[in-house]
Amino acid sequence: MKTCPVCGNEVQDGYRFCTHCGTELAKKEEEGVRQVPSVEEAASTKKEAVCPAPGVEEGKASTEKQEKKTNKVHFFIGFIAFLLVVGASFFAFGKVFLSLGGQFGLSRGQKFLKMQTDHLQSRLKAMDDFGLLEWTKSVNYTFTFTGEVEGDEKLAGYLEDSSLILKIKNDLGKGNRQFDMGVNLMGSEVFHFYGEEMNGKIGFAFPSAEHKLYVGEGDSVFEKLGLKDDSINIRNTKENQKRAKKLLLRYGALLAKSMTKDNLTVEKERCTLPYWEDAEDLYRYEGTVYRFEPDADEITAFIKKLAPLLEKDKECRTFFRESGLSKTLQDSLGMEVKKPTDRLFSEFADTLRDRAEEIGESLAKSRFQWEVTMEGKELRSIVIGEDLDHDGKIGARIGEDIEYFYYLNYELAGERVEYLGTENPDQGTWLYLCNRYEKTGQTFKGEFQFSSDKVRVSDTIKYNVTKGKNGSFLPYGRYDLGEEDDDDDDDDDDTVLTVEEGKGNSTDYELKTPEAFWYGLTGLKINGKTGADISRPGGQVVDITDYSLGEIRKISEEYIDQLNKSFYSFFNR
């Protein structure tokens, strides 16, 4: 037996690849083990590959702000996260974000919320036009995966007649979905898995091993697997669409009523936004600034109205539970230990009721603000945070201010910049998304950057795509995953994904990597086409509704082990 230099597990002598992580052992023994940075090292460099936060100087640590942590509940941040989760769910259910109606007859607070929801709707609509939201709708696809290797003719020969075929059916109208996966090695099927959620029941089978279909009541099985609050109940999709609309209107109206001409001011100002290539280069414009800054009594009064509403709102709890958004909300609040939805809302309502005055005084003391700037009819920025240096506006670039949420949208030097970021210094959570691109006709060339405390890495994806020509999930074009400062589109060191039209009204995806990434593979081809011929397996039907968690896991583990052994046997020939 020998030890894999990457994952540390034991591997039988004579095996070319690690049977646990797929690392090519001979190559690693020659090269030596690649040094993996520690969590601390990764955390210290997490922002290097992304656009710097609008209010943070490049390279400046957030230690000073974290030292100012308090035990207060950042209530408004959580509540805004709540509204954003509800709003985003419209597209999760195939709906365009709700518009709050026309301007005529709206209050100041309603207009303030409407300009933001309208802008979000336009951006989601743009994503939908590019085909980026197809996965949120009813889908019916078949994907065929084939692998490639370089420098190994024997393994390449094995792969010529080997493939993984994935079929997906997702009918939101009827609330049913099916999943079918088959693995063929050298022309023979070695593994076949079938899964379904039909009429409130879930089922799965391993037709390649036995003629049995395991079926159980969905709620019971999901609860035993600990997934009840994480799984979308597609049976009630239409009902949840109606619930989402009601909730956004209900809680949006409550928030709007707390906004008055005294705490929501409107002023004309000379505005600047940073341009990411050079912090000294700024986007300048004459803007209209909407600034919401409630006092302690107003915050307290709002919380006291919200607490009983949340406590009694069964429709809200049902929506979050059946939409699978309970976990999303808890992640946005920085909660590491997840709670059942009913308990979450009950405890949240109790906390608000018991600490309303404390929260109000704390947020007012730190001068909580919600600021939106407009240039004409174009929304340029949204910033939510605390004006700790009391200069009348939020700006963490200079001073001690904290920005919890920020969104920027503008065009400078022919380049469109869209930036979204969230931070919670008390919880140590953060997420940054940045999209920069140039448009020529229907061609878009740019880069998308992503960084998060959950992933601990920063990724940059360069793209050159054509609008109107879409695959199953991505526009046709080229996507490069390489170094941030690498401007050479032909660099062989990049991992490249190309998406183009295939035969018979299908889409071809081809992934090329500079080094082997799994069991010696250096390339992956995927052919995607509309339509999926999925047949429900026959044989004995086994009711697993009353099975224990251990019994359910035992069934799946036995056949996953079968798949692993098939791969190990194949790649270690």
Side-chain angles (χ1 to χ4, degrees):
M1 300 287 283
K2 54 186 175 182
T3 301
C4 174
V6 173
C7 70
N9 286 297
E10 291 186 343
V11 184
Q12 292 183 12
D13 291 333
Y15 272 24
R16 175 179 170 185
F17 296 94
C18 172
T19 55
H20 299 277
C21 68
T23 299
E24 187 173 359
L25 299 176
K27 184 175 181 180
K28 285 299 177 184
E29 289 170 357
E30 293 173 1
E31 296 177 352
V33 182
R34 179 176 64 87
Q35 295 298 316
V36 180
S38 65
V39 172
E40 291 77 8
E41 292 171 335
S44 68
T45 59
K46 63 180 177 284
K47 295 182 184 178
E48 292 181 0
V50 298
C51 303
V56 181
E57 294 179 15
E58 188 171 358
K60 181 179 179 180
S62 59
T63 305
E64 296 178 4
K65 291 179 183 176
Q66 292 190 10
E67 290 175 352
K68 295 182 177 293
K69 288 182 180 179
T70 66
N71 291 323
K72 70 182 178 182
V73 177
H74 292 293
F75 162 70
F76 268 101
I77 308 306
F79 183 70
I80 292 164
F82 165 85
L83 290 178
L84 290 175
V85 167
V86 174
S89 69
F90 275 97
F91 251 119
F93 294 112
K95 285 285 186 180
V96 175
F97 196 83
L98 173 70
S99 173
L100 296 179
Q103 292 283 356
F104 182 75
L106 295 183
S107 68
R108 180 181 292 237
Q110 288 172 325
K111 290 179 181 178
F112 178 73
L113 297 177
K114 181 182 186 301
M115 66 179 69
Q116 296 171 78
T117 57
D118 283 354
H119 182 77
L120 178 57
Q121 174 181 336
S122 70
R123 302 320 302 152
L124 291 175
K125 179 64 166 59
M127 292 175 64
D128 197 28
D129 290 343
F130 269 99
L132 297 175
L133 299 173
E134 290 300 310
W135 61 273
T136 67
K137 307 172 184 178
S138 294
V139 296
N140 189 0
Y141 292 119
T142 297
F143 297 96
T144 302
F145 297 74
T146 55
E148 293 182 335
V149 295
E150 292 183 0
D152 190 326
E153 294 184 1
K154 185 176 181 180
L155 183 55
Y158 288 149
L159 290 174
E160 283 184 1
D161 199 20
S162 301
S163 63
L164 183 151
I165 301 176
L166 180 64
K167 301 177 183 179
I168 303 171
K169 278 187 178 180
N170 187 4
D171 189 338
L172 295 181
K174 295 181 179 179
N176 295 332
R177 52 186 166 188
Q178 291 176 288
F179 176 93
D180 188 281
M181 182 180 74
V183 178
N184 300 304
L185 294 180
M186 299 176 62
S188 300
E189 183 180 76
V190 297
F191 185 81
H192 185 190
F193 172 79
Y194 169 85
E196 67 178 22
E197 184 174 357
M198 309 282 283
N199 303 317
K201 296 183 178 182
I202 65 169
F204 60 91
F206 301 89
S208 58
E210 62 178 1
H211 296 290
K212 290 183 180 180
L213 176 62
Y214 298 93
V215 179
E217 293 294 335
D219 290 343
S220 175
V221 176
F222 280 134
E223 186 172 8
K224 291 170 184 175
L225 294 175
L227 301 174
K228 188 173 181 179
D229 277 13
D230 298 338
S231 303
I232 295 177
N233 186 342
I234 64 174
R235 286 174 291 158
N236 295 337
T237 296
K238 292 184 178 180
E239 186 62 31
N240 278 327
Q241 290 171 354
K242 297 177 182 178
R243 289 189 182 117
K245 180 177 179 179
K246 290 179 182 178
L247 293 174
L248 188 60
L249 289 173
R250 182 181 305 158
Y251 290 95
L254 181 64
L255 181 58
K257 287 180 180 179
S258 70
M259 299 176 179
T260 69
K261 64 179 181 179
D262 295 322
N263 63 26
L264 177 55
T265 60
V266 183
E267 298 178 355
K268 296 288 185 180
E269 294 183 11
R270 180 68 173 168
C271 304
T272 60
L273 296 175
Y275 182 56
W276 306 121
E277 286 292 342
D278 186 352
E280 300 300 322
D281 194 1
L282 303 174
Y283 178 72
R284 307 175 189 275
Y285 62 100
E286 295 292 336
T288 302
V289 181
Y290 299 79
R291 191 171 288 118
F292 175 50
E293 185 178 349
D295 61 27
D297 290 339
E298 290 167 332
I299 296 174
T300 300
F302 175 76
I303 293 174
K304 288 183 176 181
K305 293 178 181 178
L306 178 66
L309 180 59
L310 280 176
E311 187 175 44
K312 299 176 182 178
D313 198 341
K314 294 182 180 180
E315 190 171 42
C316 183
R317 299 183 188 200
T318 300
F319 169 76
F320 270 81
R321 182 167 48 249
E322 294 194 351
S323 63
L325 293 173
S326 179
K327 181 177 181 297
T328 303
L329 176 61
Q330 294 183 65
D331 284 339
S332 70
L333 295 174
M335 298 174 62
E336 294 184 1
V337 180
K338 303 302 183 290
K339 301 177 180 180
T341 303
D342 287 343
R343 180 182 170 190
L344 171 69
F345 275 77
S346 294
E347 292 183 358
F348 189 41
D350 288 341
T351 299
L352 296 180
R353 185 184 297 104
D354 297 340
R355 301 182 60 187
E357 289 82 4
E358 177 189 347
I359 297 171
E361 291 175 2
S362 179
L363 286 174
K365 183 178 180 180
S366 62
R367 296 194 65 175
F368 167 85
Q369 289 184 9
W370 183 349
E371 180 183 284
V372 176
T373 64
M374 302 284 292
E375 183 181 15
K377 295 183 178 181
E378 289 290 327
L379 186 147
R380 293 299 180 211
S381 70
I382 303 173
V383 182
I384 302 172
E386 298 178 6
D387 178 23
L388 296 179
D389 57 13
H390 291 197
D391 65 353
K393 58 183 179 181
I394 307 171
R397 180 173 295 275
I398 300 175
E400 300 297 322
D401 294 350
I402 297 177
E403 296 167 332
Y404 293 102
F405 176 88
Y406 33 87
Y407 170 79
L408 306 180
N409 165 59
Y410 59 91
E411 186 172 333
L412 183 63
E415 184 175 55
R416 179 73 176 265
V417 178
E418 297 172 320
Y419 186 94
L420 175 69
T422 64
E423 281 191 76
N424 189 334
D426 285 3
Q427 301 292 340
T429 59
W430 47 271
L431 169 68
Y432 302 128
L433 303 173
C434 183
N435 185 29
R436 304 160 37 169
Y437 61 88
E438 297 177 352
K439 177 183 176 183
T440 304
Q442 295 298 304
T443 300
F444 291 74
K445 183 177 181 180
E447 63 182 38
F448 177 82
Q449 296 171 298
F450 167 83
S451 184
S452 166
D453 65 286
K454 303 296 183 184
V455 181
R456 291 291 181 186
V457 296
S458 299
D459 285 326
T460 299
I461 301 175
K462 299 177 183 179
Y463 58 85
N464 190 334
V465 301
T466 303
K467 183 178 180 180
K469 296 182 178 181
N470 302 332
S472 305
F473 299 99
L474 289 172
Y476 289 172
R478 173 182 169 123
Y479 303 82
D480 293 69
L481 180 59
E483 297 296 329
E484 180 186 7
D485 58 355
D486 183 6
D487 295 326
D488 186 358
D489 289 339
D490 296 323
D491 197 326
D492 292 336
D493 292 333
D494 286 353
T495 295
V496 178
L497 172 68
T498 56
V499 183
E500 58 188 9
E501 185 175 1
K503 297 180 180 179
N505 197 29
S506 65
T507 301
D508 285 335
Y509 304 81
E510 184 171 8
L511 181 70
K512 285 286 189 179
T513 62
E515 296 182 354
F517 62 93
W518 187 67
Y519 284 107
L521 297 181
T522 57
L524 184 67
K525 289 186 177 181
I526 308 171
N527 177 264
K529 64 180 181 179
T530 301
D533 182 15
I534 302 179
S535 298
R536 197 168 190 250
Q540 179 186 357
V541 177
V542 181
D543 189 348
I544 61 171
T545 301
D546 297 326
Y547 274 33
S548 67
L549 175 60
E551 290 174 317
I552 294 175
R553 283 181 171 172
K554 184 178 180 180
I555 296 171
S556 60
E557 288 173 355
E558 288 179 356
Y559 299 104
I560 295 299
D561 184 59
Q562 174 194 339
L563 175 63
N564 290 337
K565 288 180 179 178
S566 297
F567 271 103
Y568 301 157
S569 174
F570 176 80
F571 282 102
N572 283 295
R573 295 191 180 193

